[in-house]
Every structure is written in C-alpha cells, then in structure tokens.
Amino acid sequence: MRIVVLAGGIGGARFLRGLLSAAPEADITVIGNTGDDIHLFGLKVCPDLDTVMYTLGGGIHEEQGWGRTDESFAVKEELAAYGVGPEWFGLGDRDFATHIVRTQMLGAGYPLSAVTEALCARWQPGVRLLPMTDDRVETHVLVDTEDEGRKAVHFQEYWVRLRASVPAHAVIPVGAEQSKPAPGVLDAIAAADIVLFPPSNPVVSIGTILSVPGIREAIADAGVPVVGLSPIVGGAPVRGMADKVLTAVGVETTAAAVAQHYGSGLLDGWLVDTADAGSVDEVEAAGIRCRAIPLMMTDVAATARMAAEALALAEAVRL
C-alpha cells in the first residue's frame, strides 16, 4: 500500500507514528509543510520537517511535542548575553546542530529536498519525508500592532511570540504562487493508493502545502481516496490555536466547516470525533463520506486505531 500524507508539525508527526503502527508494511511518503520555515541566527530552521523527523526517529521532546529530548540551551543563553535575539524562539544546543548542517548544505548548493534526505539518513524515520517545495515559502499573518498599525508578521512570531493573542486578519503563504513542488512530490501523489490529511492545522499546515501550485490539482486528479481527520473536536482545536487562523480565512471552528473548507472536490472521506457525531449528516450532505470515531491521540495505540479507521474509510470510499 502506497500512502501519501500531508503533514504539519506536532499533530501530523504524532499521527504518522500511529500510522506506522497501523500499517507497518505500507510505503509512506510524507509531504511536509515548509511555510513555517524561518531564518534565525543565520540558520535555516524547518520546524515542521524537524518535528516529523525527530518524532519518528526517536529524538523528540515528548512532553513538548517539538524540539529535542535531553536538550540544553547554553548557546541560546550566550547569544542572549551578547544581546542577540530573538529570545522568544527556543532553539536548543542539539537542535542547533541540525540547523547548522542544513544551512551548510543549502549554502553548498543542495536543494532542501536533498538536505532533508541527508538529515533523515541519521534519524531513519521509516517514511520518505519530502518538503512541499525546494523554494522559499513563508507563511505570514496580517495583524494590528500598537506601534506600526496593521502589518504582516512571520507566522512563527504570531504563533510563538504573540501566542495568537491578537486577531489575525489574513494568512498569506508568501512566495507560494511562484513555487513549484519539490522533486518526488507529484510522482508520489500520482503513484499513491491513498492520500491522508492528518489532524494538522487546515490553514497554516495542510493549507500551505495545498497552496503550492500543482499539489492540490494532483491530489484532486489522482483518482484515489483522500481521507482527512478533523483537528477540531467539540468546537475547539485539539491542540494549538487553529481557531484563530480559521477565523482569519472565514471558516467556523467546527469539524463540519473544516471538511467543507477542503471541499468535496478534494476530500472523499472525513473522520470526526464522537463528540461531533451530530455533524456527520452535514458533512455527508456536502458530498463527503463521514464517520464519527474517537480522535484523541492519547497514546500510540489510540493513534494507530485512528489511522486504521482512516484506512478503512478510504477502502469504503473506493468501493
């Protein structure tokens, strides 16, 4: 079975761990969001790619869901002593090594897809991890500031420094229109038996991946089941602040609204939590097959059951 998964950070990575448990023999290609990428301290940082790589490779800080386990922050403290920021983004010493290697390879002329493959050679994540594009795409968020009025800030500043505490007026994947899918992305979609959207942020994770010209079209035209899992349970995000960016793009924070946001032209099946069982008929009325199951990724076993249900729904859609 060849499965393609579009993945953001923590939610996508944890879902993938369950999927590997549920389908250990599957050939899994992960198309990772790079809209969260940011340049800090002269280094290229790819938070979502690294979260997938560390989670599946056994190096993630489990409680946080991001960053390295057994981390220290001596370099960050020394930079702060020199007055060099930003201090709000927590890069640890082990994590710095990944970004140094990546930046050196990019500087030597290797594309991000080749760099990601080289980094994964160490971590052996058990999937093929591809960035959505080798081109520079950065998600920016339009907000109101006290000093400068309305302005666009990098998504990381909005999410990490501001904690999404101010309203988002728009979400813009800067550079997406000029980008193209990374090598292997369209081929993987064309060869897939199933495409899965894990419970990642539908706007700034999966939505950003779909903003790369050619990816949405390839998925819609692939002729295989496309099944997603709702990141919204009981009218609220399971993790993070997805409601803030959903509001920015005019989408209600409900499981049904997110399914309709993706649309029946893209999505064939949708899993909602049992708390949202009342929305099944609404989703199906929109032309998307829907089932209600427990969607809380409390441990690998629970996540594996979610992944198995997604695969079962894909087979039901196929029939």
Side-chain angles (χ1 to χ4, degrees):
M1 186 189 306
R2 291 164 298 190
I3 305 172
V4 167
V5 183
L6 274 57
I10 298 171
R14 288 180 171 172
F15 175 77
L16 284 163
R17 191 155 55 183
L19 179 62
L20 283 166
S21 176
E25 303 302 318
D27 178 357
I28 301 171
T29 298
V30 179
I31 302 172
N33 170 44
T34 60
D36 290 11
D37 292 5
I38 189 170
H39 285 79
L40 295 170
F41 313 112
L43 301 175
K44 170 82 164 180
V45 181
C46 300
D48 283 5
L49 294 178
D50 291 345
T51 295
V52 170
M53 185 173 71
Y54 293 156
T55 299
L56 300 185
I60 199 72
H61 188 301
E62 288 289 348
E63 289 73 27
Q64 292 180 162
W66 54 270
R68 290 289 309 280
T69 188
D70 299 323
E71 190 60 283
S72 57
F73 292 89
V75 173
K76 182 186 177 188
E77 292 165 4
E78 284 297 304
L79 287 166
Y82 282 113
V84 176
E87 294 186 33
W88 50 263
F89 201 93
L91 292 182
D93 300 330
R94 295 175 183 271
D95 205 19
F96 261 110
T98 298
H99 311 316
I100 290 169
V101 172
R102 177 186 292 116
T103 306
Q104 285 181 333
M105 291 188 69
L106 290 170
Y110 292 96
L112 182 60
S113 51
V115 175
T116 303
E117 182 179 4
L119 293 172
C120 285
R122 174 193 173 181
W123 290 101
Q124 296 295 309
V127 301
R128 184 186 183 199
L129 178 59
L130 301 175
M132 65 187 196
T133 181
D134 282 336
D135 300 314
R136 183 170 177 172
V137 176
E138 292 184 358
T139 301
H140 287 201
V141 182
L142 192 64
V143 299
D144 290 323
T145 65
E146 292 184 4
D147 300 331
E148 302 174 77
R150 187 162 293 187
K151 63 176 286 191
V153 299
H154 193 287
F155 171 74
Q156 294 294 351
E157 183 173 356
Y158 176 73
W159 208 248
V160 180
R161 185 177 77 83
L162 298 175
R163 300 297 300 168
S165 60
V166 298
H169 299 290
V171 178
I172 309 104
V174 179
E177 290 183 0
Q178 293 77 40
S179 69
K180 60 181 182 296
V185 167
L186 297 184
D187 289 342
I189 294 170
D193 297 307
I194 298 170
V195 177
L196 297 178
F197 294 178
S200 293
N201 192 303
V203 180
V204 295
S205 293
I206 294 177
T208 303
I209 298 170
L210 294 172
S211 73
V212 176
I215 293 182
R216 175 186 288 271
E217 296 80 3
I219 293 172
D221 296 341
V224 301
V226 180
V227 172
L229 298 91
S230 175
I232 305 299
V233 172
V238 174
R239 183 185 180 96
M241 299 152 283
D243 53 324
K244 303 298 181 67
V245 290
L246 282 168
T247 298
V249 299
V251 177
E252 292 183 21
T253 305
T254 68
V258 173
Q260 292 163 345
H261 172 64
Y262 285 132
S264 59
L266 185 67
L267 205 60
D268 300 302
W270 188 240
L271 292 177
V272 301
D273 188 78
T274 49
D276 298 304
S279 67
V280 169
D281 289 345
E282 182 181 353
V283 175
E284 295 212 326
I288 301 167
R289 191 84 63 88
C290 187
R291 291 178 180 171
I293 66 162
L295 283 186
M296 302 304 288
M297 295 189 287
T298 52
D299 53 31
V300 175
T303 310
R305 289 191 290 272
M306 289 167 51
E309 290 282 1
L311 297 177
L313 181 54
E315 287 307 309
V317 167
R318 195 192 309 275
L319 297 174

